[in-house]
Amino acid sequence: MSTHRILVSGDYHINFDLYLSPEGCTQPFQKSPPRMFTSTGGAGIAHDLLQAVATSLQAASSPELLEVKFEISDDFIDTPHSVLWQPSPLGKLGKEDDDRDAKVWRAMRSLPIGKLPESIDASKVSLPEPASATYKPDVILVEDHVCNYRCHVPEWLQKIKGPEKKRGKKKVHVPQWIVLNTDSPVAKGFFWWEMIGTLDLADRLVVVLSLDDLRKTDIRVSKGISWERTAQDLFRELIQSPVLLSLRRAKHVVIPFATDGAVWMTRTKVKGGEIPDWKVTLFFDPGHMEGEWWQGSGEAQENTDNISSVFAASIATKLAMKFPNNPDVDLGEAIQHGLISMRVYQALGNGSVKDSTPTPPTGILTKFILSGKKDLSETVQLDHLHINWKKLGSFSSIDVDIDNNAWRILESGDQYRAKQQPLYGLARRVALFGLNALGSVPYSQFGYLFTVDRDEIEALGNIQRLFREYEQKENETKPLSIAVFGPPGAGKSFGIKQVAKSIIEKDQQAFLEFNLSQFKDPNDLIGAFHQVRDKVLEGKLPVVFWDEFDSGNYQWLQYLLAPMQDGVFQEGQLTHPIGRCVFVFAGATTYHIDNFGPPEKKVFEDIKDESKKKARKEANEKAKAEFILKKGPDFISRMHGSLNVLGPNPRQVFDYIDDAWKDDPSDVCFPVRRAILLRVWLGLMKPKSNCKRLNIDHGLLAALLDAGHYMYGARSMEKIVATVKLTTDKLGSGASYQRSALPSDEILDMNVKEADIFRDTLDGPGDFQAHIENIARGTHAAWVKKVDRKNAYNKGFDELSEEAKADNFEAAKRIPYLLGLVGLALSKDENHSTISNVSEILENQMELLAEEEHNAWMDVKIANGWTRAPITADKEEKKKYRANRQHDCLIPYAELSENYKELDRLNIRNIPVMAEVAGYKIVPLGSNDS
């Protein structure tokens, strides 16, 4: 048994907590009048929580114990605070509607109250037990809330500084770790400079600082755009901003983003003035951006110092108990437990209003700090609250690519994929298993629009923010103007509508669409503007789509400027105000805003033919002059934002050399976009079905996801899927989507650019079927080596029953499907070589593949009339059951014994050998002729 010691030091004060009546302050006859209690604020909150952790460990007879002491000094005590607590709906964590309406105490206001009245004796407030002069902590937790503490040198630091110059002659106790929970202004004050220059304390320092506090300094970090962007912005500021220069002295910097994520920066090298290396790890909630988890769930705690102390306490606990003497500390678990704990405290506040004495939920916070959610059931009765812990969400982590501005978590998750290989494997898993397959990939949902692509998340997030800000400006008279670009059928109007519906109240929604390519003259615009104005007068906030606004060689731009700029339109001698509305301009000839209008001359420099180069430059100059004449630059300057819609095809980039739109090879996410669209159209992205398995013919799934190009983007893909869905739905619930439900070849030819390849994909690799018997023989031979000698199937392949042979044939036939789940395929192309890391790729997804192998085996057995047998270790009983066509492995994969699971894994590991037997190479999916 070992005891680890923590000293809590820092600003502290006395809280006078006033709990309002649950009936409200305005009720003349209150059943329960307001009540007042006292508590210790600031560092006292962290101490009380850590003391609860220590008590919990002792009660559980843990071999690792915790001892917590408090450093008290008149220099650190701050002016007393008055905290006003009010009843608030439980909200997010309530199991059912009634539970969500249950009331908890949340702080609505915290104010310093200065000198206490003589009638109040603050000395009666119970303070934590102070540390003795000989106390030697392993970890010091400092709560610096910009009060008196940072202006002094605390006693623990004086003990280190005193003998600093005589360190070789006099022993001095130096804590292993210092956790500094601090606020803005960052890295300031006498305490900071004395600590950072003392001995090697900088290498023992973990700074905890909220991103909201950091944003109060002169830095720029995005919020809610995408996790990738926020993490990269934050790292850039931390290593470049002169404001944060001294903060870079710390060994670890941990920055939580509200309760939704955090960045952990570790300095890995600094010698002789060298620029340090940094490792940056992002922790994030895949389903929520910064600040989103709590939206719409009631008021959060106003006194955020309490919430940050919960997070810091988690860090201090893990450092004390797991890394007392380890410089290569891993804070990952502590950060994730701390984030979950902050959510718990944010939701529960100071407990149910029905409790006799309001108190922070230190007991349940202790469990989360020590073990996260793993020891808790999904729902639990906590005092008077019925809590659903599942709604706390979960956190993933990933190392940030600090050198690649286009870094995507979506791509990083498939670590063994060939460079710039489309995410075919992930797309298959997402299509089949829904959100479960995404794992640690961030995603966003805007109404019925669901996306995992960083570019789309960022663009749609920006548009949503513009909508939200505009919707709140009730006196605005000018339209909000947004440009939307994308290839035909990409879903330009659908995306904007979903964002608008997520912001604008239903009774205020109105959508109008005008195709400018069908207008004959400017007078047609006047009628359109009147329709918009009518909707505004009805009290609506209309969203107006100006489709193909760039048609007619930009002729309409000049007539749209006044309405965009001034919110008015001219009808003869009359000027009419339009009112508050949103203009959405959808392009027809341009697929990306960067290509709107003529380019700069330099884009033609790579043309080798000088005469052609000269001609292209001259033509471009004329086009540029005409674009200016048509008010193109003025039009762009009036835009508030833009959106580039991607759709199911690869992103398009314009090649100025060949004067054509081409596929962008860096867009590897388009198969995943297809998988999501497929599930949306099949009704499998609703909250209760977004993890439901898709029952579909494997060849059909491959063809839908691997198709080269859908002729008209999402419209073409949806036509094909709609036909399959309509035909299959007639067969009843649970029917499998089969290739026989596809539309006719004529319809496929109209909607799929490479329709022949689409049809070939349905049947799998070329002459693979001709080699099934050889593969089946090899599969059986490998299996025999691993089973008991007395097993009934331990015999030569030719000696097997016809049914047993058929089982091996089925196992061989599903090899292409299993490979497809990890982005691999079979090929006989002589130009291809089997990729070297096939085994690593298979091992990386082994449990998923083994479970699929097992499920497919069960489907075959059940189809052949087998039923489940009782599990028994008796070999004779097993033999008897098998003779009656009963099998004890007809159970879910998770319930199998490890021995049986290993047989499924064996089949997966043998795939490379089996492919070689058939004369096939294993190549990245999507390679030519694969």
Side-chain angles (χ1 to χ4, degrees):
M1 182 178 293
S2 57
T3 300
H4 310 286
R5 296 174 176 82
I6 297 179
L7 175 68
V8 180
S9 184
D11 296 306
Y12 67 96
H13 56 262
I14 307 303
N15 279 337
F16 292 90
D17 301 303
L18 179 63
Y19 291 86
L20 301 179
S21 168
E23 295 90 33
C25 299
T26 59
Q27 296 297 322
F29 303 104
Q30 297 175 354
K31 295 180 181 178
S32 51
R35 294 175 293 166
M36 180 178 285
F37 299 90
T38 57
S39 62
T40 309
I45 295 169
H47 172 272
D48 292 347
L49 181 54
L50 287 171
Q51 189 63 58
V53 172
T55 302
S56 174
L57 291 170
Q58 187 172 15
S61 300
S62 171
E64 302 288 324
L65 298 179
L66 202 62
E67 183 178 274
V68 182
K69 298 295 182 181
F70 196 69
E71 184 175 37
I72 295 177
S73 169
D74 291 341
D75 292 333
F76 308 153
I77 190 166
D78 189 23
T79 181
H81 283 56
S82 175
V83 184
L84 194 62
W85 297 82
Q86 68 175 5
S88 302
L90 173 62
K92 180 71 85 172
L93 295 186
K95 185 185 176 186
E96 304 294 345
D97 290 339
D98 291 342
D99 298 310
R100 286 191 282 273
D101 291 335
K103 298 294 180 66
V104 295
W105 293 112
R106 296 205 183 99
M108 62 180 293
R109 196 79 185 272
S110 176
L111 291 172
I113 57 178
K115 187 177 180 180
L116 289 176
E118 293 182 1
S119 59
I120 298 177
D121 186 1
S123 65
K124 293 183 179 180
V125 176
S126 177
L127 292 175
E129 180 184 352
S132 67
T134 58
Y135 189 65
K136 296 180 179 180
D138 302 304
V139 175
I140 297 178
L141 171 57
V142 175
E143 293 281 330
D144 169 28
H145 299 302
V146 199
C147 297
N148 296 327
Y149 192 88
R150 61 171 54 188
C151 301
H152 298 85
V153 179
E155 185 178 350
W156 66 264
L157 185 54
Q158 292 177 17
K159 291 179 181 178
I160 299 174
K161 283 188 64 65
E164 181 177 359
K165 295 180 181 179
K166 303 176 182 179
R167 194 176 185 187
K169 299 179 180 179
K170 185 176 181 180
K171 291 184 178 180
V172 56
H173 175 75
V174 180
Q176 291 296 323
W177 295 103
I178 301 167
V179 180
L180 173 61
N181 183 25
T182 187
D183 296 339
S184 182
V186 184
K188 295 289 190 294
F190 189 51
F191 162 71
W192 170 265
W193 297 115
E194 288 295 296
M195 178 185 60
I196 211 72
T198 301
L199 296 174
D200 53 355
L201 293 190
D203 287 334
R204 303 166 184 258
L205 179 60
V206 180
V207 176
V208 175
L209 171 69
S210 77
L211 185 52
D212 284 340
D213 265 307
L214 198 58
R215 286 193 177 109
K216 295 175 184 177
T217 60
D218 297 332
I219 67 168
R220 182 184 179 191
V221 179
S222 60
K223 182 174 183 178
I225 302 298
S226 71
W227 284 121
E228 294 94 336
R229 174 73 65 84
T230 300
Q232 290 182 320
D233 285 353
L234 183 56
F235 174 74
R236 182 194 65 243
E237 294 290 350
L238 284 171
I239 65 169
Q240 294 181 0
S241 172
V243 177
L244 305 179
L245 178 62
S246 67
L247 187 61
R248 298 194 280 273
R249 299 277 298 278
K251 176 71 173 179
H252 303 279
V253 179
V254 184
I255 302 176
F257 312 152
T259 62
D260 299 312
V263 156
W264 167 32
M265 285 183 51
T266 305
R267 173 170 46 78
T268 59
K269 181 186 71 175
V270 55
K271 293 180 181 178
E274 294 181 22
I275 297 175
D277 289 337
W278 295 93
K279 179 185 176 184
V280 184
T281 305
L282 170 68
F283 300 83
F284 62 97
D285 180 342
H288 299 90
M289 296 298 161
E290 180 187 354
E292 287 185 355
W293 181 76
W294 192 250
Q295 283 181 5
S297 298
E299 294 184 14
Q301 299 275 26
E302 189 273 348
N303 53 337
T304 55
D305 286 352
N306 294 18
I307 294 180
S308 68
S309 294
V310 171
F311 185 80
S314 177
I315 301 292
T317 299
K318 285 297 186 294
L319 285 173
M321 299 187 66
K322 287 199 171 185
F323 304 100
N325 298 296
N326 187 354
D328 298 322
V329 60
D330 183 359
L331 294 176
E333 185 180 66
I335 291 171
Q336 296 193 52
H337 290 183
L339 289 169
I340 286 288
S341 300
M342 285 200 295
R343 284 188 172 179
V344 171
Y345 188 55
Q346 186 177 42
L348 301 186
N350 267 14
S352 170
V353 297
K354 295 181 179 180
D355 294 343
S356 58
T357 304
T359 53
T362 53
I364 197 69
L365 287 174
T366 292
K367 293 181 180 180
F368 282 106
I369 287 174
L370 290 173
S371 60
K373 295 194 297 178
K374 63 184 180 182
D375 293 335
L376 293 168
S377 60
E378 290 185 2
T379 61
V380 65
Q381 186 73 28
L382 181 66
D383 297 325
H384 299 281
L385 304 174
H386 201 186
I387 307 296
N388 186 347
W389 296 126
K390 189 175 181 181
K391 294 183 180 179
L392 283 172
S394 59
F395 293 92
S396 300
S397 63
I398 191 168
D399 290 341
V400 179
D401 188 338
I402 56 181
D403 299 317
N404 177 13
N405 290 332
W407 168 66
R408 289 178 174 84
I409 295 175
L410 179 63
E411 298 176 47
S412 302
D414 203 347
Q415 58 182 316
Y416 297 107
R417 176 180 52 89
K419 187 177 182 181
Q420 289 201 334
Q421 177 200 355
L423 296 165
Y424 289 116
L426 179 60
R428 277 166 167 70
R429 301 195 296 272
V430 169
L432 288 170
F433 311 118
L435 294 189
N436 281 342
L438 287 173
S440 58
V441 174
Y443 60 87
S444 287
Q445 191 159 6
F446 306 86
Y448 290 107
L449 177 62
F450 187 95
T451 180
V452 294
D453 187 286
R454 173 184 173 177
D455 293 339
E456 285 193 329
I457 289 174
E458 292 184 356
L460 288 165
N462 281 323
I463 296 299
Q464 186 183 56
R465 186 172 293 102
L466 289 171
F467 266 94
R468 184 177 289 115
E469 292 172 354
Y470 187 80
E471 193 269 341
Q472 294 171 354
K473 297 178 181 177
E474 296 182 357
N475 297 322
E476 182 61 76
T477 58
K478 300 177 183 178
L480 172 68
S481 297
I482 297 170
V484 184
F485 298 94
K492 295 185 283 291
S493 62
F494 175 76
I496 290 293
K497 284 181 180 178
Q498 295 307 307
V499 173
K501 288 179 179 179
S502 70
I503 300 297
I504 304 172
E505 295 291 337
K506 191 172 183 179
D507 60 351
Q508 291 187 317
Q509 294 174 9
F511 298 95
L512 300 170
E513 295 188 33
F514 305 102
N515 192 317
L516 293 178
S517 67
Q518 298 175 3
F519 283 19
K520 295 180 180 179
D521 57 54
N523 289 326
D524 290 339
L525 278 173
I526 295 175
F529 288 137
H530 272 296
Q531 291 185 51
V532 177
R533 189 167 181 261
D534 289 344
K535 292 296 181 184
V536 174
L537 294 174
E538 292 174 11
K540 309 286 187 181
L541 178 54
V543 179
V544 188
F545 290 90
W546 302 101
D547 205 10
E548 300 190 42
F549 77 95
D550 52 355
S551 60
N553 197 21
Y554 308 115
Q555 65 169 324
W556 300 106
L557 302 190
Q558 56 191 313
Y559 304 110
L560 295 167
L561 294 179
M564 294 169 66
Q565 177 66 27
D566 304 317
V568 299
F569 66 94
Q570 198 76 23
E571 183 180 24
Q573 299 300 313
L574 299 176
T575 300
H576 301 285
I578 297 177
R580 200 165 65 119
C581 62
V582 180
F583 282 176
V584 181
F585 299 96
T589 61
T590 303
Y591 300 165
H592 196 286
I593 190 171
D594 292 346
N595 303 106
F596 182 61
E600 299 295 326
K601 287 182 181 180
K602 62 182 181 181
V603 300
F604 304 111
E605 291 301 326
D606 290 336
I607 298 178
K608 296 180 181 180
D609 188 321
E610 291 298 326
S611 61
K612 184 178 179 180
K613 181 191 296 185
K614 181 179 179 181
R616 292 284 296 278
K617 285 186 175 182
E618 290 177 353
N620 189 65
E621 282 300 307
K622 291 181 180 179
K624 196 169 185 177
E626 187 174 1
F627 186 67
I628 294 172
L629 188 64
K630 295 287 182 65
K631 304 296 183 181
D634 293 335
F635 180 84
I636 295 174
S637 69
R638 285 163 173 77
M639 284 292 138
H640 296 96
S642 65
L643 174 65
N644 300 306
V645 181
L646 299 175
N649 288 328
R651 181 193 296 112
Q652 299 290 289
V653 293
F654 195 74
D655 187 330
Y656 288 101
I657 307 302
D658 294 339
D659 197 24
W661 288 95
K662 296 182 178 180
D663 290 350
D664 181 355
S666 69
D667 179 15
V668 300
C669 303
F670 71 89
V672 182
R673 297 198 294 270
R674 291 176 176 178
I676 291 172
L677 286 171
L678 175 62
R679 289 187 66 88
V680 168
W681 292 326
L682 295 178
L684 294 177
M685 288 307 288
K686 297 175 183 177
K688 292 185 178 180
S689 59
N690 56 30
C691 292
K692 181 180 178 181
R693 182 179 179 124
L694 170 60
N695 189 9
I696 190 171
D697 170 354
H698 298 154
L700 174 60
L701 177 64
L704 289 170
L705 298 183
D706 299 355
H709 293 81
Y710 286 99
M711 202 78 75
Y712 305 107
R715 282 200 294 267
S716 289
M717 185 178 176
E718 186 176 15
K719 283 180 182 177
I720 297 171
V721 175
T723 302
V724 173
K725 185 176 188 301
L726 180 64
T727 304
T728 305
D729 286 351
K730 292 178 180 179
L731 301 176
S733 176
S736 175
Y737 296 102
Q738 298 294 326
R739 67 189 72 186
S740 58
L742 282 168
S744 66
D745 283 354
E746 290 77 12
I747 300 297
L748 287 177
D749 290 337
M750 289 171 57
N751 290 284
V752 182
K753 193 172 182 181
E754 300 89 352
D756 288 340
I757 298 177
F758 182 97
R759 286 185 281 267
D760 289 342
T761 305
L762 289 170
D763 298 322
D767 59 350
F768 179 74
Q769 302 297 328
H771 300 276
I772 290 296
E773 183 170 344
N774 286 339
I775 297 176
R777 287 177 178 274
T779 300
H780 178 70
W783 184 84
V784 163
K785 294 178 182 179
K786 295 289 183 178
V787 298
D788 193 297
R789 293 180 181 179
K790 296 182 180 180
N791 190 292
Y793 300 105
N794 190 349
K795 60 183 69 173
F797 185 84
D798 293 326
E799 300 173 50
L800 294 173
S801 67
E802 291 304 313
E803 182 180 350
K805 290 178 182 177
D807 286 349
N808 284 285
F809 292 151
E810 292 293 338
K813 285 195 293 185
R814 53 182 174 258
I815 287 176
Y817 161 68
L818 293 170
L819 287 174
L821 289 175
V822 290
L824 299 175
L826 298 171
S827 174
K828 276 200 168 184
D829 191 330
E830 294 181 356
N831 296 320
H832 290 157
S833 299
T834 295
I835 58 177
S836 59
N837 60 338
V838 171
S839 295
E840 285 181 307
I841 296 173
L842 296 176
E843 290 293 338
N844 187 47
Q845 295 289 340
M846 178 55 72
E847 290 310 290
L848 179 144
L849 295 173
E851 184 168 1
E852 285 300 290
E853 168 70 16
H854 176 69
N855 290 340
W857 172 84
M858 283 203 303
D859 289 342
V860 172
K861 282 296 187 186
I862 292 170
N864 284 323
W866 286 71
T867 58
R868 178 175 176 175
I871 297 176
T872 177
D874 189 287
K875 295 181 180 179
E876 289 302 318
E877 283 190 359
K878 280 191 177 186
K879 188 175 180 181
K880 176 183 174 182
Y881 289 134
R882 302 285 170 87
N884 291 326
R885 303 181 71 78
Q886 291 178 285
H887 206 298
D888 56 348
C889 287
L890 288 173
I891 56 177
Y893 178 80
E895 298 177 20
L896 289 174
S897 67
E898 274 301 308
N899 288 338
Y900 281 129
K901 285 182 179 179
E902 194 58 32
L903 292 177
D904 288 315
R905 294 170 188 145
L906 173 66
N907 286 343
I908 302 303
R909 294 186 178 111
N910 280 336
I911 287 178
V913 178
M914 299 303 100
E916 188 176 357
V917 167
Y920 277 88
K921 301 168 184 175
I922 297 180
V923 300
L925 189 60
S927 304
N928 294 333
D929 299 327
S930 63

